[in-house]
Amino acid sequence: AWMDADFRRQLSAQRERVEDAFEFEGRKVGRGSYGQVFKTKPRSCADASAGDYALKQIEGSGLSMSACREIALLRELKHPNVISLKQVYLAHETRQIWLLFDYAEHDLWRMINFHASAKKCNSQVSLPPNFTKSIMHQILCGIHYLHSNWVLHRDLKPANILVMGATSPERGRVKIADLGLARLFHQPLTPLTEIDPVVVTFWYRAPELLLGARHYTKAIDLWAIGCIMAELITDKPLFYCKQEEDIKTSSPYNRDQLERIFSVMGFPSQQDWRDLPHLPKYGDLVRNFGTGQQYARFSLGRHMSRSFGMSETSSEFRLLSRLLAMDPLRRPSAREALEDRYFLEEPRPAADVFNDFDIPYGKRDFISDSSDNKDDPARLHFASRGRHLAVASQQQQRPICSQQLPHRFDS
Ligand SMILES: Cc1ccc(-n2nc(C(C)(C)C)cc2NC(=O)NCCO)cc1
């Protein structure tokens, strides 16, 4: 061994072990191909007031490429709307890597599902009028920071937008994260089935990616933010597309997803998107959709006004249609989006997206280890339905239609 044995023993004795510092038995809140996440409290200050922490045990052992990338990336980044890495623990005996983050009680995936199930039961959720605007403002601030540091997110979706809970000093603040599921396919072309049985959704993927664009860009992140904005307004994924069980092809071209986009947005004309014919999968597009005449009367304005009564002249709609420009060159940068009139008009965006409203969402459920095995009915159920995110599916919202719903929402 290159280090003196006594010295090694001394170092090992005094090294803080993660299990000594944190209580995390039975407190698993997330699990995916990247590892698992626990909701913990430091053992030292036992009083409940201290904030919670999220402890992520990275999958595998030793410094894998993805562990290195995550640590190298996160330790350089510091912004109020980006998840912050507090500490790294290297367990020398097991060569396990643990990452410590501030704990976020909520995320947009669970919040939007809560709103949607409340609507189904006609029990409205009372939210501040600037709720969507506040969330959008903070997502754009976080992405502006990442983009100005030449960090692309590449997998923005509601599940990756965390929101701090009532017990956090940063109550109601948005934190952009990456639960790491789609981290595995850096290049848009990696065959899905090779990676992970968890079926990833294409609902937030920009049209140029679906048509074979070979590189991620900032504009691809802005498209996803447009999809998230629409979903915050309607409580429905804008480009929802049923997912086949097993996506065999490794091709990025997904006809059903493109069909859904065209049936909302209309079909892009030469004027709308000059570079469209230069995309690798343009041939497939023409073969499947011809000149797109069948989508001639569709448009985002028609979709949003007919389905959700949204005014095409509102600044909210104007920003949404800028973000969802089919041609990536026509999408605003994060900074240009932040300068949009939408954010200058009343009501202004707030630092706490809940303002002084009670937070209606429940806390995250703990995942029991029993469900770790493959034949757990919940897993099979989600697996058969092509669950779109291992972590999120474990936190399936409990329907709130049950009578025992507390009349006053407690946070
Ligand atoms: C392999 C790997 C996995 C996740 C990240 N990553 N990237 C980000 C951005 C938002 C700064 C882009 C955040 C993270 N990691 C996390 O959010 N980790 C906490 C839950 O796993 C980086 C690399």
Side-chain angles (χ1 to χ4, degrees):
W2 55 278
M3 221 199 270
D4 167 72
D6 279 347
F7 182 57
R8 274 165 65 89
R9 260 192 298 280
Q10 190 189 351
L11 271 188
S12 159
Q14 67 195 14
R15 186 178 301 115
E16 190 184 28
R17 285 175 180 68
V18 72
E19 55 273 16
D20 302 336
F22 296 95
E23 163 63 45
F24 54 86
E25 279 307 305
R27 299 170 60 92
K28 192 187 297 183
V29 290
R31 183 188 56 239
S33 52
Y34 56 88
Q36 41 195 18
V37 179
F38 299 85
K39 176 181 181 179
T40 65
K41 270 193 185 318
R43 283 191 200 280
S44 54
C45 47
D47 62 319
S49 68
D52 291 308
Y53 287 98
L55 198 52
K56 174 180 179 178
Q57 180 184 30
I58 291 192
E59 184 66 22
S61 70
L63 273 175
S64 65
M65 187 178 83
S66 64
C68 269
R69 187 176 182 287
E70 182 166 20
I71 295 170
L73 189 68
L74 288 180
R75 62 198 299 244
E76 299 302 319
L77 298 171
K78 184 172 173 45
H79 186 275
N81 298 121
V82 175
I83 192 168
S84 68
L85 177 63
K86 315 305 278 185
Q87 187 66 268
V88 178
Y89 292 92
L90 305 173
H92 280 227
E93 304 74 33
T94 59
R95 292 171 54 74
Q96 278 280 311
I97 298 181
W98 298 78
L99 305 185
L100 188 72
F101 300 94
D102 285 326
Y103 180 73
E105 193 65 69
H106 311 294
D107 60 72
L108 291 195
W109 189 84
R110 293 173 75 248
M111 288 161 64
I112 291 170
N113 275 23
F114 186 95
H115 301 157
S117 51
K119 261 186 197 166
K120 260 187 280 191
C121 313
N122 293 321
S123 62
Q124 284 308 318
V125 181
S126 62
L127 292 167
N130 60 352
F131 185 68
T132 295
K133 188 178 292 193
S134 303
I135 293 175
M136 283 300 294
H137 193 261
Q138 295 189 36
I139 293 175
L140 286 164
C141 286
I143 281 298
H144 171 54
Y145 171 78
L146 292 177
H147 286 181
S148 43
N149 286 283
W150 280 98
V151 174
L152 306 181
H153 190 290
R154 307 187 214 161
D155 191 31
L156 280 169
K157 56 189 166 195
N160 279 332
I161 307 296
L162 309 181
V163 180
M164 305 304 275
T167 58
S168 160
E170 299 178 275
R171 179 189 196 270
R173 180 175 285 174
V174 162
K175 300 278 181 183
I176 299 174
D178 185 340
L179 301 180
L181 186 69
R183 211 85 224 147
L184 294 164
F185 56 116
H186 267 291
Q187 300 311 324
L189 283 168
T190 315
L192 264 177
T193 41
E194 260 174 47
I195 296 172
D196 192 283
V198 181
V199 175
V200 185
T201 59
F202 292 112
W203 306 340
Y204 308 91
R205 291 172 78 73
E208 63 268 25
L209 272 181
L210 297 166
L211 289 167
R214 289 191 177 75
H215 302 289
Y216 284 95
T217 63
K218 296 177 182 179
I220 286 169
D221 280 342
L222 272 297
W223 171 275
I225 293 173
C227 298
I228 293 170
M229 180 176 183
E231 194 164 335
L232 282 167
I233 294 164
T234 68
D235 289 333
K236 287 182 179 163
L238 182 61
F239 300 121
Y240 170 80
C241 171
K242 63 164 185 25
Q243 201 77 57
E244 305 78 51
E245 290 317 290
D246 46 356
I247 302 180
K248 288 269 180 277
T249 63
S250 67
S251 150
Y253 184 84
N254 186 303
R255 175 180 181 168
D256 290 344
Q257 189 60 58
L258 283 163
E259 204 289 325
R260 173 64 189 166
I261 293 173
F262 300 145
S263 59
V264 170
M265 303 296 294
F267 196 82
S269 69
Q270 185 68 25
Q271 284 66 35
D272 295 333
W273 190 354
R274 199 170 49 82
D275 295 348
L276 176 60
H278 306 139
L279 282 168
K281 295 296 179 186
Y282 181 69
D284 297 59
L285 182 74
V286 172
R287 210 177 0 271
N288 288 155
F289 299 93
T291 57
Q293 279 315 313
Q294 63 272 41
Y295 303 101
R297 64 184 191 289
F298 296 139
S299 73
L300 181 65
R302 180 179 186 276
H303 177 83
M304 296 305 286
S305 58
R306 291 173 73 129
S307 316
F308 305 99
M310 196 174 184
S311 152
E312 295 188 43
T313 57
S314 68
S315 57
E316 187 176 49
F317 174 77
R318 252 174 23 88
L319 174 59
L320 181 63
S321 58
R322 288 178 72 197
L323 292 167
L324 294 175
M326 293 292 274
D327 181 349
L329 300 177
R330 296 192 182 190
R331 283 175 220 145
S333 66
R335 175 191 295 279
E336 286 165 345
L338 282 166
E339 290 163 354
D340 189 282
R341 198 179 55 174
Y342 172 61
F343 294 113
L344 304 174
E345 284 175 357
E346 293 299 324
R348 305 298 300 274
D352 173 348
V353 303
F354 304 116
N355 295 220
D356 52 1
F357 281 57
D358 286 343
I359 300 177
Y361 319 109
K363 296 180 186 299
R364 292 182 191 282
D365 296 328
F366 289 134
I367 298 172
S368 63
D369 278 326
S370 65
S371 68
D372 260 334
N373 57 42
K374 297 286 177 250
D375 56 9
D376 169 61
R379 271 181 75 88
L380 289 181
H381 170 65
F382 292 124
S384 64
R385 276 193 321 112
R387 67 197 190 293
H388 62 276
L389 187 78
V391 174
S393 63
Q394 294 301 336
Q395 291 145 23
Q396 192 67 15
Q397 287 293 323
R398 277 186 306 284
I400 60 167
C401 307
S402 56
Q403 298 320 315
Q404 67 265 25
L405 179 75
H407 295 292
R408 199 190 67 74
F409 290 125
D410 47 6
S411 57

